[in-house]
Structures are given as C-alpha cells and as structure tokens.
C-alpha cells in the first residue's frame, strides 16, 4: 500500500507542471464557444471548487431543486406537483438524507475533501452573486451531493418494488439509452471506440451538466449530475464508460404477517417483533398544515403498503441499496481508475443501480458488466412476486460479488452494443446466454430486443473497419428499422382491389411518398409526418405481429391500413391546412419559444419505432400540431481511446445554461442537435486554453 501511494504522489508531482494556468490554491475556469466549462485546478480540491462555482453559475436553481428532491423536501418549495409529495415520502422512508450523512462519514478522506471543496465553490459563487440564489435554496452541506447520487440510484430498485407489488415487470421501459463499443481490431485507426447516449426525460435530476475537469490526480470529462462533483458518464484520463438501463433483480417484496392483537407487530421465526412506527410530516408550499403520513419499518425493510385487515398481512419492500454506504467511494474510484481492471474493481463495490455498464481503456480493452446490488436469495421461492416474510428461511444470505454477474471482456466479435436489450443479443453469437446464469442475475423481461438494438447490431456486425465518420454517423443514425415491413404491407394492400377502394386522392399521393421514402426520419422529408400519424392510427387495429414478420395480412387488415391512410390525410389537412409537410415543420427541439427542426423519432413503445438518434416529442401546446422534443438522446459522448489520449465529442439538446437570457440557453439546439453534429472536446488544459473565449481565475483558499 505504501508503494502504491508513493507512486501516486510521484505521478501527481510529474503531472502538476503540465496543468496550464493552475497552481495550488487557484483554479481557472475556461468557457468554450458554447459556454461549456473547462476547469483547471492546481489539485483535485481546487478543481472541485471550480466545478462547484461553474455549476452554480449555470444551474444553481436546478442544483438546489435536486438537493431538495434527494432529502425529501421538494413539496416544501414547489408544492404538490409532479408527484413531489410522493417523492418526498419515498426519500424519507428510505432515510436517504441520513444514509448520505453516514456515507460521507465512511468515505475516504480524499473524497470528503473533494465534496467539501465543491460545496465551497458553489457558495463562493453565491457570495459574489447573492441575487442568483433561488428562494428554494437551503444550507448546502458536503453530504448533499451523495444524497443526490443515492436518490438517482434508488429510482431503479424502488421501481422494481412497485413492479412486484403490481406483478408487472416493465418499469425500466421509462429509462432507455444507447451504448456500444468497438475493439481496436475492428476500428479503422486501431483504437477502441465507445459511445454513451442516455435517453432520459429532459427535466429534474436527469438533465445532466457537461463539464471538463483537470485537477491533480483526477480528470473528468463528460456529464455530471447537477449537484455532484463526480462524473456520471464520459471518461477520466484513461478509461471511458457508458450506461444503459437493464440489469439484475435488485429488489424484493416480503409479505409479513401482522399480529391481530397489536398492529405494530409482525411475526418472524415464531415470535412477534415490533415494527418501528413513524409519522412523516411533509410541508407543502401553499398549504397551511403539513401532510402527515405513517411509515412502518421492519428489519426486512420499510412497509410499502398499509396492513390488509382481511388478510392480516402487509407488504415490505427490500433492497440492499438501503444499507449501502459506498456509492461516493465507487464513483470516486471510477474517476481515478487508470485502466479497465481498476475500473472493474471499483464497480465491484456494487453500488450502481441495475445497469448495463460498458467501458474501454487506452490500453485497448473493451468490457461489459450487467451490474447491480443483487442479494443472494434462498432457492425454492418465486422472487418475482411477494415471498413470505415469516422466517429466516427467506432471508438473504449476502450480496453477490461482481464475479457472479453477467459480463464479458474483449469479445471475439470485436464489438458489442446494449441499447436496453438482452446480453444474448449484444453481438452475433453472444456467449452471454440465459442458460449460464441464475434468473435473478440475468433478469431479462421487457428488454430482450428492440429497434435500436437491432439497428446497432446490423451496422456494427457488418462493418469490419469502423472509421471516425462511420462512428459519428451511427451515433446520429435516424433509420427506421421497421420501414421494410410497413412498406411491404402497404404494397400488398395497394394491390388488393377491394382495399384500394378506400383510398382518397390525397391518400394515393401519400402512398407514393411512403413507397419512395428511404426510411430516414429526416427533417427534410415529407414521409415521416405521414408515418407518425398513420401508424399511430392503425397500429392497434391490425395484426402487427404478422405485419412486422412480413406475413400476409387479412383483407380486413389491408382495408384498415388504407382507410387509415385516407383518414390520416384528412386529419392532417384539417390540422395543418396543407399536406406538403416536412418532418422538421412539426418536429422541433428547443425551449422557451426558440424551436428548431429536429431529426429522429420515438413512436410508441420499445417494440415500435425508435431511431438510434432518439428524439421523443410531445404536442406542445396541445392542439397546435407542433411536437417539441422533451426526452431522448441528451448527454451523448463519443470517445476514441487512443494510446496518447481520448479524442472526445459531445452533444446535448438545449444549451449549457438554465438562464433563458443566456446566449447558451438553446445555442446547442440550434447549431448542433438540430444539425446532428457533435462538438469537439479539448482533452488537455493546454487545448482548453486555446479554445477559451472567457476565463475566470479563482482563489480557493
């Protein structure tokens, strides 16, 4: 251990002279032409201080909103909207604030000082700009960033608990993303390529913050959760990583038996135990009195349902994340990892929510682990449903080590992708098949295959030498995988004389456009508006399984397709008073009234059309006929891991600043996202200084 620390000190000493414009006790915040900060500190704490300052300058209101969400005090500031009361209650019964304080106390000293410096940076900005401090701000503590990270992680196991209560397995459908990696033997320049492209809603905690941070031992480039100084997605100086939803089963439901004579007791191993009862008071803005909700706690976990007096039972939610305290340490170690092996060891702390984690390093390795904090469950029970919580016979026996999880390193195929799909479909002839793993570790239900996974697999498996340009094109791919099946169905229906009678002249013209369409959801194409409205109208009324398999449909289905096309064109004429609409005329990206034509699409569920460049939109305002993007691709990082450094490209849908008055509020929507373009990232402090258009120097002591 002493030797490793000595080598680390020597490495830092060698690195410090290269950090352009930074000395101990000082930090330089550069801004590029899009307002993205490049923070250069003399040491790690100086860099964290600068990150806190820059994040506060861009997203101070969001930062405090995230803190409030994490500690269960959102409704107090924002009222009973967006499920704030329910979210506050969930964070309170999970004791998220208390756990974050324990986690902070148990964290390595280097992480604690990093968190403290970050908070001091936020406060430094507030001191200089007191008018920017929002009315919902609270006293910021160095453990608050950990609470934010824990709150984000808890979304997954808490969703799993609700699934088991409802006996469904589809909560993860709300969280989609793309990731793929190419090994050195299949990349044109001989170095690994890695993409991370999360598809989340563009609100709340999911709206990440781009920054590029250079300290002493630490280098972090990519996207952060607002309110945290630890990198969420992107790369350090040696390793890049990506995440998509899908993973092992990390949550359970126990059905406990209530003492009929005393409702606050439950039976366990032949004896009654006392449940701890609390009354949680949730302050709500605009209401005179707080909302009071009861909460019960057993040794198995908190109650997730009120006792059923007829059955004499109650449901307890159990997840091992409620007792863990190393989330901050894991991400800190990930940020310090110098190769895939060190990154893998950091993942071994098992603090990540159930995710597909893909990572690559400058040494030429690509690797994948389907991570999650998975309990070792006793055999003989159906853990997809509520199991009896009467005795230690169903008690967990520990946590699975990372070696037990689904994983692969340097696959022989030379590529892999996971766009929320089964490990069995990540590559042709994947060795990661379900017969090799316990069901709760493999845990594929909703996420077997989808259009994004199929498109990624088709492109990656067919290209034995992927160039930079091809990698960029794949990241922004807008091809409709289902177009051939719909085209054939339309052709067959048109050839059916009985069905063809349903076509109006306008529908005949529309059919010509659909048959001439190249399947690209391009803002310049007239076919996509027809596709969106037509498929939306007929999908529930035809045999879609046969249609997608390109099997013969019935006359009734053919008639439905063509009558639906006629009805679609009539409705489009009524809504828009024209039929020569391009996709970009109605499909937009932007905010606060600044809207720009957008490519890509999300139509329906994962089994329907979603392009790889995933742009989900809702009609806004209702009845306007304009669809404004509010979810999908939102923190894209494309990495080329050369031995000399990591060449990096990023894209985000709006802009760096949350301030509508800022020139960087929607500039990336206009100049990058709507054009399907990346911006190039500076990967050294010297390069950051060269692209700097604004600079702030700060003293941290």
């Amino acid at each position: 251990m002493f030797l490793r620390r000595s080598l680390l000190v020597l490495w830092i000493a060698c690195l410090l002279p290269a950090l352009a414009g930074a000395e101990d006790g000082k930090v330089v915040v550069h801004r590029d032409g899009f307002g993205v900060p490049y923070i250069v500190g003399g040491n790690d704490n100086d860099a964290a201080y600068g990150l806190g300052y820059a994040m506060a300058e861009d997203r101070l209101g969001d930062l405090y909103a995230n803190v409030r969400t994490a500690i269960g005090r959102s409704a107090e500031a924002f009222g009973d909207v967006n499920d704030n009361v329910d979210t506050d209650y969930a964070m309170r019964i999970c004791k998220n604030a208390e756990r974050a304080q324990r986690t902070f106390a148990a964290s390595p000293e280097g992480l604690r000082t990093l968190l403290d410096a970050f908070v001091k940076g936020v406060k430094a900005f507030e001191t200089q700009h007191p008018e920017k401090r929002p009315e919902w701000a609270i006293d910021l503590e160095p453990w608050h960033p950990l609470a934010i990270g824990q709150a984000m992680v808890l979304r997954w196991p808490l969703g799993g608990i609700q699934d088991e209560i409802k006996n469904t397995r589809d909560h993860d459908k709300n969280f989609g993303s793309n990731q793929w990696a190419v090994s050195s033997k299949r990349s044109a320049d001989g170095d690994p390529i890695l993409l991370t492209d999360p598809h989340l809603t563009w609100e709340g905690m999911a709206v990440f913050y781009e920054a590029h941070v250079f300290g002493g031992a630490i280098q972090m480039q990519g996207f952060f959760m607002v309110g945290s100084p630890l990198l969420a997605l992107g790369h350090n100086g040696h390793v890049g990583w990506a995440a998509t939803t899908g993973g092992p089963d990390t949550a359970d439901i126990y059905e406990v038996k209530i003492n009929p004579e005393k409702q606050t007791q439950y039976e366990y191993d032949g004896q009654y135990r006392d449940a701890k009862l609390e009354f949680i008071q949730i302050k709500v803005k605009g209401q005179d009195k707080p909302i009071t909700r009861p909460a019960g706690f057993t040794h198995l976990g908190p109650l997730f349902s009120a006792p059923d007096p007829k059955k004499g039972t109650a449901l307890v939610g159990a997840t091992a994340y409620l007792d863990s305290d190393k989330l901050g340490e894991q991400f800190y170690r990930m940020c310090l990892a110098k190769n895939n092996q060190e990154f893998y060891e950091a993942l071994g702390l098992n603090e990540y929510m159930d995710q597909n984690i893909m990572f690559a390093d400058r040494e030429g390795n690509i690797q994948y682990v389907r991570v999650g904090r998975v309990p070792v469950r006793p055999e003989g029970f159906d853990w997809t449903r509520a199991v009896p919580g009467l005795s230690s016979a169903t008690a967990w026996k520990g946590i699975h080590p990372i070696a037990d999880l689904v994983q692969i390193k340097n696959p022989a195929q030379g590529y892999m992708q996971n766009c929320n799909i089964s490990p069995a479909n990540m590559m042709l002839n994947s060795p990661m098949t379900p017969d090799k793993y316990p069901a709760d570790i493999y845990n594929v239900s909703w996420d077997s295959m989808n259009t994004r996974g199929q498109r990624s697999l088709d492109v990656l498996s067919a290209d034995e030498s992927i160039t930079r340009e091809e990698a960029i094109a794949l990241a922004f791919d807008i091809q409709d995988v289902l177009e051939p099946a719909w085209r054939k169905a339309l052709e067959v229906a048109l050839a059916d004389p009985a069905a063809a009678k349903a076509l109006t002249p306008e529908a005949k013209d529309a059919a010509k456009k659909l048959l001439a369409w190249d399947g690209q959801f391009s803002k310049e194409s007239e076919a996509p508006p027809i596709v969106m409205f037509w498929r939306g109208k007929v999908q529930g009324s035809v045999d879609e399984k046969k249609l997608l398999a390109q099997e013969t449909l019935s006359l009734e289905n053919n008639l439905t397709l063509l009558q639906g096309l006629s009805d679609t064109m009539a409705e489009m004429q009524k809504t828009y008073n024209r039929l020569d609409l391009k996709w970009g005329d109605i499909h937009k990206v932007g905010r606060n009234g600044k809207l720009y034509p957008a490519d890509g699409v999300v139509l329906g569920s994962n089994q329907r059309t979603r392009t790889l460049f995933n742009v989900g939109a809702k009609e806004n305002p209702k009845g306007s006929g304009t669809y404004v993007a509010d979810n999908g691709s939102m923190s894209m990082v494309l990495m080329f891991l050369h031995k000399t450094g990591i060449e990096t490209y990023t894209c985000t849908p709006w802009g760096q600043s949350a301030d509508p008055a800022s020139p960087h509020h929607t500039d990336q929507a206009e100049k990058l996202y709507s054009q399907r373009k990346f911006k190039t990232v500076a990967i050294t402090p010297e390069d950051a200084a060269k692209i700097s258009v604004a600079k702030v120097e700060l003293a941290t002591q």
Side-chain angles (χ1 to χ4, degrees):
M1 180 61 72
F2 174 79
L3 178 60
R4 289 182 64 186
R5 288 180 177 173
S6 299
L7 290 173
L8 179 61
V9 170
L10 178 61
W11 181 78
I12 293 173
C14 293
L15 179 65
L16 286 177
L19 295 179
E23 305 171 10
D24 279 355
K26 294 182 180 180
V27 62
V28 178
V29 180
H30 295 284
R31 297 274 184 172
D32 70 8
F34 288 101
V36 176
Y38 288 78
I39 297 121
V40 183
N43 57 51
D44 292 346
N45 294 336
D46 293 340
Y49 182 99
L51 177 59
Y53 185 96
M55 196 179 289
E57 185 174 15
D58 293 330
R59 304 276 297 279
L60 188 60
D62 292 343
L63 187 154
Y64 280 113
N66 283 356
V67 170
R68 281 189 171 274
T69 297
I71 64 176
R73 291 177 57 187
S74 288
E76 178 183 354
F78 305 112
D80 189 10
V81 296
N82 299 323
D83 299 320
N84 283 337
V85 171
D86 290 342
T87 300
D88 286 352
Y89 180 72
M91 290 299 101
R92 302 276 280 278
I93 65 170
C94 289
K95 305 288 185 181
N96 197 51
E98 295 89 337
R99 186 161 65 94
Q101 293 175 66
R102 293 198 307 271
T103 299
F104 180 81
S107 294
E109 181 180 0
L111 175 56
R112 293 199 307 272
T113 58
L114 192 83
L115 293 166
D116 187 62
F118 172 79
V119 168
K120 287 178 178 177
V122 174
K123 292 180 177 179
F125 176 82
E126 292 179 317
T127 299
Q128 292 181 16
H129 304 277
E131 75 284 0
K132 299 291 187 180
R133 184 176 167 89
E135 63 179 15
W136 56 88
I138 60 176
D139 290 336
L140 197 61
E141 300 286 348
W143 55 268
H144 281 156
L146 299 175
I148 291 172
Q150 291 174 176
M152 188 67 166
V153 167
L154 283 172
R155 288 184 176 196
W156 276 258
L158 292 183
I161 287 171
Q162 292 299 328
D163 278 357
E164 292 190 13
I165 290 176
K166 300 172 185 176
N167 194 27
T168 62
R169 303 289 290 174
D170 63 357
H171 81 277
D172 285 338
K173 285 185 179 180
N174 297 319
F175 303 100
S177 301
N178 296 340
Q179 64 177 196
W180 47 261
V182 175
S183 74
S184 55
K185 72 179 184 180
R186 285 183 79 99
S187 69
D189 63 6
D191 294 316
I193 310 171
L194 178 68
L195 173 79
T196 183
D197 176 15
H199 303 162
L200 301 173
T201 179
W202 301 347
E203 63 182 14
M205 282 190 171
V207 185
F208 295 157
Y209 178 80
E210 183 176 358
H212 305 279
V213 181
F214 305 90
I218 209 162
Q219 176 180 342
M220 301 179 290
Q221 299 200 255
F223 290 89
F224 298 74
M225 291 193 67
V226 176
S228 172
L230 296 173
L231 186 67
L233 296 167
H235 65 85
N236 61 27
H238 306 271
V239 182
W241 59 94
T244 68
T245 288
D249 184 357
T250 61
D252 290 319
I253 289 289
Y254 285 105
E255 187 175 44
V256 297
K257 185 176 180 181
I258 302 299
N259 184 350
E261 304 297 327
K262 190 175 182 181
Q263 294 286 302
T264 58
Q265 289 186 330
Y266 62 101
E267 183 180 342
Y268 198 78
D269 281 340
Q271 297 180 337
Y272 284 117
R273 295 191 180 194
D274 290 320
K276 183 180 179 182
L277 183 65
E278 295 181 6
F279 289 94
I280 294 176
Q281 292 192 333
I282 301 172
K283 294 180 180 180
V284 182
K285 184 179 181 180
Q287 297 187 17
D288 294 334
K289 296 182 179 180
I291 294 174
T292 301
R293 290 186 177 181
F297 302 90
T298 73
H299 77 287
L300 297 170
L303 266 64
F304 272 74
S305 74
D308 184 332
K310 292 183 180 180
K311 295 176 63 178
T313 61
L315 298 179
V316 171
T319 176
Y321 292 100
L322 296 181
D323 299 320
S324 62
D325 61 4
K326 294 186 182 299
L327 179 66
E329 180 181 349
Q330 174 173 310
F331 273 80
Y332 183 54
R333 287 176 57 181
M334 286 162 55
C335 291
L336 291 172
K338 295 181 178 59
N339 52 46
N340 270 19
Q341 181 58 36
E342 290 187 9
F343 190 88
Y344 180 82
E345 291 169 1
L347 289 179
L349 292 178
N350 283 330
E351 294 284 341
Y352 238 125
M353 61 279 205
D354 37 311
Q355 292 282 285
N356 300 292
I357 301 299
M358 204 168 282
F359 47 110
D361 65 19
R362 286 167 51 189
E363 296 177 3
N365 300 298
I366 63 173
Q367 202 161 343
Y368 163 84
V369 186
R370 192 168 170 88
V371 301
R373 194 168 183 82
V374 190
V376 179
R377 299 174 169 97
E379 296 181 358
F381 300 92
D382 181 2
W383 291 94
T384 65
R385 301 173 180 270
V387 298
L390 291 171
S391 73
S392 51
T394 56
W396 295 340
K397 301 179 181 298
I399 301 297
H400 280 283
I402 192 171
D404 290 352
L405 306 182
V406 183
Q407 56 194 283
I408 194 168
K409 183 175 183 179
N410 296 327
Q413 292 85 342
Y415 68 89
M416 53 185 170
Q417 56 82 30
N418 196 305
C419 302
N420 314 114
I421 62 167
S422 167
N425 294 321
M426 286 173 54
M427 60 203 77
L428 295 181
N429 302 312
S430 171
M432 296 176 289
T433 52
D435 57 297
K436 298 174 183 175
Y437 300 91
D440 59 337
I441 286 181
Y442 201 79
N443 194 41
V444 170
S445 53
W446 60 273
D447 54 347
S448 178
M449 193 43 142
N450 57 47
T451 55
R452 292 176 290 111
Q454 189 62 58
R455 178 62 176 168
S456 295
L457 183 61
D458 291 345
V459 174
L460 291 170
S461 62
D463 194 338
E464 296 184 355
S465 181
I466 297 175
T467 65
R468 178 183 290 97
E469 292 72 25
E470 288 170 335
I472 292 172
L474 181 58
F476 284 118
D477 189 271
I478 54 173
Q479 182 67 39
D480 176 17
V481 172
L482 304 184
E483 187 274 335
W486 281 92
R487 174 195 293 271
K488 181 177 179 180
L490 179 59
E491 289 173 338
V492 172
L494 290 171
D496 186 333
K501 293 178 181 179
L503 284 176
T504 62
E506 293 80 8
K508 290 180 181 178
D509 290 340
K512 291 178 182 178
K513 292 179 182 179
L514 293 176
L515 294 177
W517 184 42
D518 61 2
Q520 298 272 312
F521 271 88
S522 165
K523 58 181 176 287
E524 299 298 329
S525 175
E526 292 185 14
I530 302 170
V531 171
M532 179 173 77
F533 294 122
W534 177 49
R535 290 189 192 173
K537 178 175 289 294
V538 304
Q539 274 177 331
S541 303
V542 298
D543 189 333
E544 197 171 351
K545 185 176 181 180
K546 280 189 174 182
L547 187 153
L548 296 180
Q550 300 192 30
E551 297 176 3
T552 301
L553 298 179
S554 66
L555 170 60
E556 181 182 1
N557 278 188
N558 289 338
L559 183 59
T560 297
L561 288 173
L562 299 189
Q563 184 62 57
L565 187 57
S566 293
D567 293 343
T568 293
M569 301 316 294
E571 292 170 8
M572 288 178 63
Q573 178 67 39
K574 182 178 179 179
T575 300
Y576 299 103
N577 200 32
R578 51 183 284 214
L579 294 177
D580 59 344
L581 291 168
K582 294 180 179 179
W583 186 229
D585 293 334
I586 67 171
H587 191 245
K588 307 283 188 179
V589 64
R591 54 181 172 176
N592 291 92
K594 296 181 180 180
L595 302 178
Y596 308 95
D599 300 311
V601 76
V602 173
L603 294 181
S605 69
N606 256 9
Q607 287 70 41
R608 295 178 178 167
T609 297
R610 295 189 182 203
T611 53
L612 282 173
F613 183 49
N614 199 247
V615 184
K618 293 184 177 67
E619 191 177 24
N620 186 13
K622 283 284 188 181
S624 66
T626 298
Y627 292 78
V628 180
D630 66 355
N631 69 92
S633 297
M634 43 82 73
S635 299
M636 301 172 72
V637 187
L638 180 61
M639 296 158 268
F640 298 84
L641 292 101
H642 307 302
K643 294 177 177 59
T644 56
I646 303 178
E647 179 185 352
T648 310
Y649 301 88
T650 63
C651 183
T652 192
W654 287 335
Q656 187 67 22
S657 174
D659 182 0
S662 169
H664 303 302
H665 187 60
T666 55
D667 56 339
Q668 293 190 57
E670 176 186 11
K671 299 174 182 177
L672 297 176
Y673 200 87
S674 69
Q675 306 298 321
R676 283 191 291 148
K677 291 182 179 179
F678 282 118
K679 59 182 179 296
T680 303
V681 170
I683 60 171
T684 67
E686 292 80 6
D687 289 340
K690 291 176 183 176
I691 66 171
S692 177
V693 299
K695 182 175 74 170
V696 174
E697 297 183 6
L698 304 169
T700 64
Q701 297 176 356

